[in-house]
């Protein structure tokens, strides 16, 4: 079987698996967030934090709860790392330096999982399982809660109430993420992913001598890192490491976990607003962008010219033989079109155009299908913008799901769109203008620029993948990327929740013959076009200086 055909079959198998899971999971999440009953374990959790799940919150209260919980999470994870040297199960590792502890705490709480350290050489079992793995669950649940709050803003009228954050957080963790993660961990363990708490031990090598390795609860953390679109890795090699991703099947299964919840949430959206066709329109836009990006990535990696590439069957540099170009391309697109950041190959070793595709996927806002929760609310904000643009073209007050899109709503949507590009471009410019960050670059020219641009794109968009070739374990990068991750995660949430509150307070507008149908293929096309024009062109000058210049020169 040719490598190209194998890659195409993997894409088809992935689509079939996602299609089978789409309806039951989407309906289940709609019931979880719409129901009134609480499980016994959930009631214990509410008592532990002193929260009343029956109190409905307006958007300022919902936002305060999000920020307070996240701030406490950052502080807890920071202290856990700083105290690692005196904790049991530390495997003899020292406490983490302050700047790196801040970076890691910000990273995992912001659902980014950017790592400027070697996991197997820095983090003990307690920090890995009691700190990082816990944040993999709750940071994903926070994103889902904010998305559901925005959906309620569309579904409700004449009230500013968006539900209860603590109920949404606990239910998303206990009823959605935890059961799926258990199943995912069992499948991965059956594939050969390790799951233990062994210490550091010597392992013999084929060429003679030994090498030191430590074990860990890898399968369980691998499952939730992909399922929650967290990213990162137990080991420095991430999902390229055989202990994390041993074979082609585990590789495809991890991609399935990455895409599962973000795609299924479109059906949850359709259920909660009372129109499945609205969910299908969002799904079609997400799916079309994902397919186009996957096809382009496979084309540029398979068809690159040169004798070495032709002998290898394509651009194999930086890729694992057990995954091949097809498996690596599918994984790279999935991880950068979502806020996952896990990698099974070096994105820096992709072709110039291939590296540009990974960057553009993040720069679109990671909305195809995006992160858990963040992909849906990012796409809905873009839908608001698309409706507004359509209203300008026909001279009619724009409406979406029975809600008028007025001055306040479009200003909030515009602020949401502008914050991430501002963070990426400003931090990139500072890093290139100052002498100290330049010492971390191992490449010059267009590729060196791409390394810096990718790092801040990954951080501000809460992706967490790395381009490689950049030493990010410095005070400058640990601090600035940490700030980019926190601002890129929580400032947009302010605008999303304010938008949700504004929509929920409106009275519904009845549809007329002049109302734009937002469930049609025409609207899906308009939405995709708005995404490419509004967000894609924002980064075009920067992309032209980096990956496009490199790709056209090769």
């Amino acid at each position: 079987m040719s490598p190209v055909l194998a890659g195409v079959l993997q894409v088809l198998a992935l689509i079939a698996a996602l299609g089978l899971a789409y309806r039951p999971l989407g309906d289940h999440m709609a019931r979880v967030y719409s129901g009134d009953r609480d499980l016994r374990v959930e009631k214990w959790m509410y008592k532990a934090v002193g929260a009343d799940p029956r109190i409905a919150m307006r958007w300022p209260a919902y936002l305060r709860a999000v920020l307070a919980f996240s701030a406490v999470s950052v502080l807890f994870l920071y202290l856990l790392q700083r105290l690692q040297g005196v904790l049991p199960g530390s495997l003899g590792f020292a406490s983490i330096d302050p700047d790196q502890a801040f970076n890691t705490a910000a990273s995992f709480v912001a659902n980014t999982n950017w790592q400027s350290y070697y996991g197997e050489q820095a983090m003990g079992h307690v920090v890995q399982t009691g700190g990082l793995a816990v944040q993999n669950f709750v940071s994903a649940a926070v994103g889902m809660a904010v998305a559901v709050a925005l959906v309620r803003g569309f579904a409700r009228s004449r009230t500013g109430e968006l539900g209860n954050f603590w109920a949404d957080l606990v239910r998303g963790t206990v009823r959605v993420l935890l059961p799926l993660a258990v199943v995912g961990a069992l499948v991965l363990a059956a594939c050969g992913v390790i799951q233990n708490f062994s210490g550091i031990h010597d392992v013999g090598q084929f060429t003679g001598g030994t090498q030191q390795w430590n074990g860990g609860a890898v399968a369980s953390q691998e499952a939730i890192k992909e399922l929650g679109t967290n990213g990162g890795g137990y080991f420095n090699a991430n999902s390229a490491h055989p202990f994390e991703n041993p074979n082609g099947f585990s590789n495809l299964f991890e991609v399935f976990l990455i895409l599962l919840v973000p795609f299924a949430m479109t059906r949850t959206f359709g259920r909660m607003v009372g129109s499945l066709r609205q969910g299908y329109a969002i799904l079609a836009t997400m799916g079309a962008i994902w397919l186009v990006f996957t096809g382009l990535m496979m084309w540029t990696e398979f068809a690159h010219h040169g004798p070495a590439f032709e002998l290898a069957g394509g651009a194999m540099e930086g890729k694992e033989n057990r995954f091949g170009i097809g498996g690596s391309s599918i994984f790279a697109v999935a991880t950068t079109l979502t806020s996952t950041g896990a990698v099974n190959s070096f994105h820096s070793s992709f072709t110039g155009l291939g590296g540009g595709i990974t960057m553009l996927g993040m720069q679109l806002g990671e909305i195809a299908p995006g992160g858990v929760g963040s992909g849906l609310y990012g796409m809905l904000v873009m839908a608001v913008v698309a409706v507004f643009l359509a209203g300008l073209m026909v001279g009619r007050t724009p409406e979406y799901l029975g809600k008028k899109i007025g001055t306040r709503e479009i200003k909030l949507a515009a602020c949401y769109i502008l914050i991430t590009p501002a963070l990426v471009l400003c931090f990139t410019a500072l890093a290139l203008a100052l002498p100290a960050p330049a010492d971390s670059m191992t490449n010059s020219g267009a590729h060196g620029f791409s390394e810096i641009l990718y790092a801040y794109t990954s951080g501000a968009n809460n992706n967490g993948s790395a381009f490689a070739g950049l030493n990010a374990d410095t005070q400058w990068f640990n601090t600035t990327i940490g700030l980019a991750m926190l601002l890129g995660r929580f400032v947009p949430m302010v605008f999303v929740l304010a938008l949700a509150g504004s929509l929920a307070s409106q009275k519904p507008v009845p549809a007329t013959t002049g109302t734009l149908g937002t469930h049609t293929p025409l609207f899906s096309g308009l939405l995709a076009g708005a995404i490419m024009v509004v967000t894609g062109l924002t980064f075009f000058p920067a992309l032209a200086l980096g990956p496009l210049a490199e790709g056209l020169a090769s």
Side-chain angles (χ1 to χ4, degrees), residues 119-136:
E120 65 270 36
Q121 299 177 18
M123 302 295 183
H125 293 322
V126 173
V127 175
Q128 289 275 19
T129 57
L132 306 185
V134 169
Q135 287 304 317
N136 282 345

Side-chain angles (χ1 to χ4, degrees), residues 357-428:
I357 291 170
T358 61
M359 269 190 272
L360 182 60
M362 293 184 288
Q363 290 163 352
L364 290 182
E366 296 171 329
I367 51 179
V372 168
S374 61
L376 179 61
Y377 65 66
M379 184 61 83
L380 292 179
V381 170
M382 288 306 306
V384 168
V385 173
V387 168
F388 177 75
L389 294 176
L392 291 178
M393 289 187 285
V394 299
R396 178 184 170 88
T397 302
E399 302 165 10
Y400 186 51
L401 299 176
K403 301 297 177 68
K404 286 186 177 295
I405 308 302
T407 303
R408 175 178 171 81
E409 288 76 22
I410 200 62
K411 285 181 178 178
L412 291 170
C415 289
Y416 173 91
I417 293 170
L418 291 174
I419 184 64
T420 304
L423 290 172
V424 173
L425 298 176
C426 289
F427 276 123
T428 300

Side-chain angles (χ1 to χ4, degrees), residues 341-361:
V343 294
N344 72 346
S345 55
F346 279 119
H347 291 181
S348 181
S349 295
F350 277 46
T351 62
L353 295 178
I357 291 170
T358 61
M359 269 190 272
L360 182 60

Side-chain angles (χ1 to χ4, degrees), residues 104-435:
T104 304
S107 176
F108 278 78
V109 174
N111 196 239
T112 309
N113 292 29
W114 169 274
Q115 295 170 296
S116 61
Y117 59 87
Y118 296 93
E120 65 270 36
Q121 299 177 18
M123 302 295 183
H125 293 322
V126 173
V127 175
Q128 289 275 19
T129 57
L132 306 185
V134 169
Q135 287 304 317
N136 282 345
F137 279 96
V138 295
S139 65
V142 168
M144 295 167 68
V146 173
V148 169
L150 179 57
V151 173
R152 292 192 185 114
F154 286 108
R156 296 179 177 181
S157 59
R158 298 175 180 175
T159 176
E161 296 174 350
L162 302 177
N164 185 282
F165 168 72
W166 303 107
D168 293 338
L169 173 71
V170 170
R171 290 180 180 184
T173 303
V174 173
R175 301 192 203 178
V176 180
L177 295 175
L178 188 58
L180 291 174
V182 170
V183 175
L186 292 174
V187 173
L188 289 174
C191 291
V193 179
I194 67 171
Q195 179 77 10
N196 57 59
F197 288 100
S198 67
I200 299 175
H201 53 278
D202 292 331
V203 178
Q205 296 179 307
F206 290 111
T207 57
T210 60
Q211 184 177 4
Q212 286 190 331
W213 285 105
N214 58 286
V218 179
S220 55
Q221 188 158 324
E222 193 76 14
I224 187 56
K225 89 167 190 182
E226 312 292 22
L227 185 66
T229 60
N230 297 283
Y234 206 99
F235 299 98
N236 181 54
N238 212 283
S239 289
H241 198 291
F243 287 0
E244 290 194 30
N245 192 4
N247 52 56
F249 178 80
S250 65
N251 185 69
L252 197 62
F253 182 70
E254 288 185 15
V255 177
F256 170 76
L257 291 178
I258 290 171
L259 301 175
L260 177 61
V261 176
F263 272 130
M265 285 201 78
T266 61
R267 185 173 178 90
T268 304
F269 162 67
R271 280 287 183 201
M272 293 183 70
V273 299
S275 174
L276 289 177
R277 294 187 299 176
Q278 298 290 342
Y280 293 147
I282 299 297
L283 173 66
T285 307
M286 289 179 171
I289 295 174
W290 173 70
L291 279 174
V292 169
F293 271 61
T294 302
L296 287 174
M297 180 65 82
M298 293 178 68
W299 170 76
T300 187
E301 296 303 300
F302 273 118
H304 201 71
H305 299 295
F309 296 102
E310 292 172 1
L311 289 173
M316 276 298 295
E317 180 187 344
K319 301 179 178 66
E320 293 291 319
N321 284 325
R322 66 184 186 276
F323 306 140
I325 293 175
S328 299
S329 299
I330 295 168
F331 201 105
V333 170
T335 197
T336 51
L337 277 177
T338 64
S339 64
T340 308
V343 294
N344 72 346
S345 55
F346 279 119
H347 291 181
S348 181
S349 295
F350 277 46
T351 62
L353 295 178
I357 291 170
T358 61
M359 269 190 272
L360 182 60
M362 293 184 288
Q363 290 163 352
L364 290 182
E366 296 171 329
I367 51 179
V372 168
S374 61
L376 179 61
Y377 65 66
M379 184 61 83
L380 292 179
V381 170
M382 288 306 306
V384 168
V385 173
V387 168
F388 177 75
L389 294 176
L392 291 178
M393 289 187 285
V394 299
R396 178 184 170 88
T397 302
E399 302 165 10
Y400 186 51
L401 299 176
K403 301 297 177 68
K404 286 186 177 295
I405 308 302
T407 303
R408 175 178 171 81
E409 288 76 22
I410 200 62
K411 285 181 178 178
L412 291 170
C415 289
Y416 173 91
I417 293 170
L418 291 174
I419 184 64
T420 304
L423 290 172
V424 173
L425 298 176
C426 289
F427 276 123
T428 300
L430 281 174
L432 291 169
L434 298 176

Side-chain angles (χ1 to χ4, degrees), residues 27 63 89 138 141 179 200 238 354 371 429 489 505 517:
D27 290 347
L63 175 63
V138 295
I200 299 175
N238 212 283
R489 174 69 166 179
S505 63

